[in-house]
Amino acid sequence: MRPTPSRILPLLTLLFLVTAPDASGQQATAPTPDEVLAASPDDAWRALDPERTVYLELSGGRRVVMELAPEFAPRHVENLRAMVRAGLFDGGWVMRSQDNYVVQWGPRDVADTSEIPEGIASELDAEFEVPSRGLPFTPAPDGDVYAPQAGFTLGFPAGRDPEAGLTWMLHCYGVVGVARSEDPNSGSGAVLYAVNGHAPRWLDRNLSMVGRIVSGMDRLSVLPRGTGPLGFYETEAERTSITSARLGSQLPPEERTALQVLRTDSPTFLAYMAARRSRTGPFWAHTAGRIDVCGVGIPTREGR
Amino acid sequence: MRPTPSRILPLLTLLFLVTAPDASGQQATAPTPDEVLAASPDDAWRALDPERTVYLELSGGRRVVMELAPEFAPRHVENLRAMVRAGLFDGGWVMRSQDNYVVQWGPRDVADTSEIPEGIASELDAEFEVPSRGLPFTPAPDGDVYAPQAGFTLGFPAGRDPEAGLTWMLHCYGVVGVARSEDPNSGSGAVLYAVNGHAPRWLDRNLSMVGRIVSGMDRLSVLPRGTGPLGFYETEAERTSITSARLGSQLPPEERTALQVLRTDSPTFLAYMAARRSRTGPFWAHTAGRIDVCGVGIPTREGR
């Protein structure tokens, strides 16, 4: 059986047509995830709050945008904001990249105290969980292996224990946590990590979580893996430099990334989850009819 | 509160001490995953079978090792073996890298039929599932969001439907599937992909799965993301070349990678899963007591 170009070429263009809308234009089946987003009203989206956004500029002009989550770790986020304002990350670097786990960054010399102004804490009490009271929660539809309840709170993947009345951020792809040593109260926000592989959910409730990479994760995820223990780089030359870190509010509006995030408490998000769990269209031989909380993804789009 | 070097330096060395054994030497708590592996008997491990191993040499001398899974897709694996023997991948390339999804590779010109010998199929009937009968199965201990049963078969993550009597490979990090177009029977094994992010489990039972990357996934995962639709590279210059692909049996023994895989039907693997679900040691403030099938990981070690 010899392949002919007409039969094989579609492999290159159509393979995994799982994120693009059905080109047939037919609407006989349920809408695809992209069709849900295309039909969404503007009020399903929110602009990034400049006070809750950190722009991390990597060497080579590559920008990484992190949305802060003060509701999940208020003291750590406030301390992180103070560190950004004080310029502590400028000249810092990515010092660790471990495959299918985390990428980690911080100031150039985290032990150099000479530049740290008063009012910035070097250690904070752990904020692994927060009270659920008052926090919105959109459950993921199909349960979870780890948490009694899993879903979304204020645009972040979240777990809940209804008996204990506690909420915590889940270690899904791209979420950002505060590195620490063995002492649970040893983190500060100076050294941060982002998940770069399959969700390491066993870390949940063990680290203070401060946000999520909403743009530029594809830059952090491709950094060469470090060859030292735990993926730390063994030489300074391997590290990627951080040119600067700034809050959105420190930048003129035109220098901020024009980005909107889908509200996780919107009807559009519910429809999006439904479309993600039941993929339809000509590609799909089997429809899962299920979606895990870290498999949903939180859509973004251009816009202010 | 000023940080002092003695309080901050451990951040760089101890952070996430989750893969290293407890340095205290104490054994008051359950063993760590690394301790389980260190204490394992030799018969818990198996060497790679040269007939079931493909060595993919990327430009720059970077080797990627794939273990084949003929029990999951016998026709596709046999066709892939024939393609490797015919040298069809030599001079091929990686043509796609989509963040948190898949990296994909194949021959340089998949539409060029001039070099394809008789006996190699350009399209095969789908092998999305196989009968469970006769296949060993080690269940993951904590259930699964997607499959009626999830666990491990012959060293690969597997789902099962006991009512239908079917088994299929799960889209965990590093597993390798056969790309296809919309027609379920359009894949051949010439174009393959590996999962490079959070497990896209909605692809399960939609693609024929031929194996798993057992070494070198950290090379494939860092390839720059393509900027075209679905992460395809837009120019040839962005693609990474494949110098050659060879079965282990085509190479002299000394040129094969000395690698052993933990048997997923061994008592050691059960102990390893138990240690992964209940992490103990000074770092852990909260023990999950749960592990998802794609979070287990299948250990490898050096050895022939």
Side-chain angles (χ1 to χ4, degrees), chain A residues 136-153:
Chain A
F137 183 70
T138 303
D142 298 305
D144 188 62
V145 169
Y146 292 90
Q149 296 179 345
F152 300 89
T153 291

Side-chain angles (χ1 to χ4, degrees), chain A residues 1 3 15-16 18-19 96 99 101 104 113 123 145-146 173 180 198 206 221 230 283 285-286 290 292, chain B residues 1 3 15-16 18-19 96 99 101 104 113 123 145-146 173 180 198 206 221 230 283 285-286 290 292:
Chain A
M1 217 169 24
L15 284 171
F16 287 122
V18 293
T19 59
R96 176 188 182 192
D99 198 53
Y101 200 37
Q104 186 169 312
T113 64
E123 293 186 333
V145 169
Y146 292 90
Y173 191 84
R180 65 169 173 90
H198 185 71
N206 279 289
S221 64
L230 307 181
F283 178 85
H286 176 83
R290 316 277 294 172
D292 68 302
Chain B
M1 218 171 19
L15 283 172
F16 286 124
V18 292
T19 59
R96 176 188 183 192
D99 198 53
Y101 200 37
Q104 186 169 313
T113 65
E123 293 186 333
V145 168
Y146 292 89
Y173 191 85
R180 65 170 173 90
H198 184 71
N206 280 289
S221 64
L230 308 182
F283 179 85
H286 176 83
R290 316 278 294 173
D292 68 302

Side-chain angles (χ1 to χ4, degrees), chain A residues 161-178:
Chain A
D161 182 340
E163 289 185 21
L166 294 174
T167 291
W168 56 92
M169 196 185 300
L170 305 180
H171 277 81
C172 297
Y173 191 84
V175 300
V176 177
V178 174

